[in-house]
Structures are given as C-alpha cells and as structure tokens.
Amino acid sequence: LNESATFRDVLGKATDDINTAYSKQEFYAPKQIQQSSTAVEQAASLPIGFDYQEWPGATRGGGLSWSLDTLSACAEPFKLRLGVTSDAGALRLSFHYDPRLLDRGAVSRLADQYLTLLRAAAASPDAPLGTLPLLGEEERRLLLEEWQGERVEFAHDRCIHQLIEEQAARHP
C-alpha cells in the first residue's frame, strides 16, 4: 500500500482477497506449522489471525425465541486474533490474545486504535490512508500533554547536536 491509497481502494482489494481466502479457508493446517524445524519459525508463523462468522438470526418456535449471544473459542496458536461476527446486520469485534505475550492494556489500546481507524475510514472512505487517525482524543491527549513531563526551556541559538554535545560533556 502507498500513502495515497484510499480506504475504498483497500476495501475493494480486501474484498477480493477475502473471497479468495474464503474459498480456501478449510485448508488451514496448524499442524504443518507446528512441525516447523525451529521454535523461531513456529513463533513467527502465526503472529496474527482473523476470522469472520455470520450468525443466524433468532429462531422461533412454540412461542419461544432464542439466539446465539456469545461464542468463545480460540484454539489456534495465534499471538493475537481479531474475531468479527455478523449478527442481524451488526458487526461484533473481539480480540483474543496470548496473555504470556501481550497484556490486556496493550490489546485494549490496539482495539481502541483499530476502532478509531475504522470510524475515520467509514466517515471518509476516499481519504488517503496516511491521513486517517489511529489515536483517539484521550490517547492523543495523554501522549501530547500528560506524558510529556515538565517543559524545559533550552537555548534556541544552537542546533540540537550542539546541545547534546554540551550535555555529554557535562555528564560523560
């Protein structure tokens, strides 16, 4: 992808790729990957996964109605997996992850960034991808304001490399 590609361009390409992958999805073989020659190859093989499922609508009969509310299963050896479920015209997103490799906070931030990107892309599908935001307002505020620390004035008459040299001379 290049920076001038739009979300609409990516969506069209992804649709083609998804249709191709959908026809081949039954051929996934994690045992072949687990039989790789090294642990590094195994670990690198399945870092991120994605799955999409369409759930049936509510079933009615005999005066009763029932529907699938939650389905949780993740047996794949992925470090991180995004699950998308289509249910009655709505999409549900869920992130599943290996807690030995990722913590809840990191996955939560990733999910927030993904939703920020999706909202921006849906609002402006013809915008170049490089212009779409990843950070929500709260995360942007944290990065730009709270986590910046105390402001320190510096000499504006010297270049940054000169300031670094001076600091290194004072504290070798």
Side-chain angles (χ1 to χ4, degrees), residues 125-140:
D126 293 315
L129 292 177
T131 65
L132 297 176
L134 288 175
L135 302 179
E137 289 304 316
E138 178 62 18
E139 189 170 7
R140 180 180 303 279

Side-chain angles (χ1 to χ4, degrees), residues 5-6 12 25 43 50 52 61 78 99 101 105 127 152 157 159:
T6 67
Q25 72 176 343
F50 173 83
Y52 173 79
F78 295 113
L101 303 171
V152 176
D157 60 336
C159 296

Side-chain angles (χ1 to χ4, degrees), residues 34-140:
Q34 290 171 349
Q35 294 169 353
S36 297
S37 60
T38 68
V40 172
E41 286 177 2
Q42 291 175 13
S45 297
L46 295 172
I48 299 174
F50 173 83
D51 72 73
Y52 173 79
Q53 297 177 19
E54 290 187 21
W55 287 359
T59 302
R60 292 172 174 57
L64 298 174
S65 173
W66 66 272
S67 63
L68 189 58
D69 181 58
T70 304
L71 177 63
S72 295
C74 187
E76 302 94 354
F78 295 113
K79 296 171 188 156
L80 176 68
R81 180 176 64 92
L82 171 61
V84 179
T85 305
S86 176
D87 181 17
L91 293 178
R92 295 181 189 189
L93 304 178
S94 59
F95 284 88
H96 304 269
Y97 60 95
D98 185 341
R100 296 170 300 167
L101 303 171
L102 300 166
D103 65 51
R104 179 180 286 250
V107 174
S108 179
R109 283 188 304 279
L110 178 65
D112 289 344
Q113 292 167 354
Y114 187 66
L115 288 175
T116 298
L117 177 64
L118 287 180
R119 286 181 184 119
S124 303
D126 293 315
L129 292 177
T131 65
L132 297 176
L134 288 175
L135 302 179
E137 289 304 316
E138 178 62 18
E139 189 170 7
R140 180 180 303 279

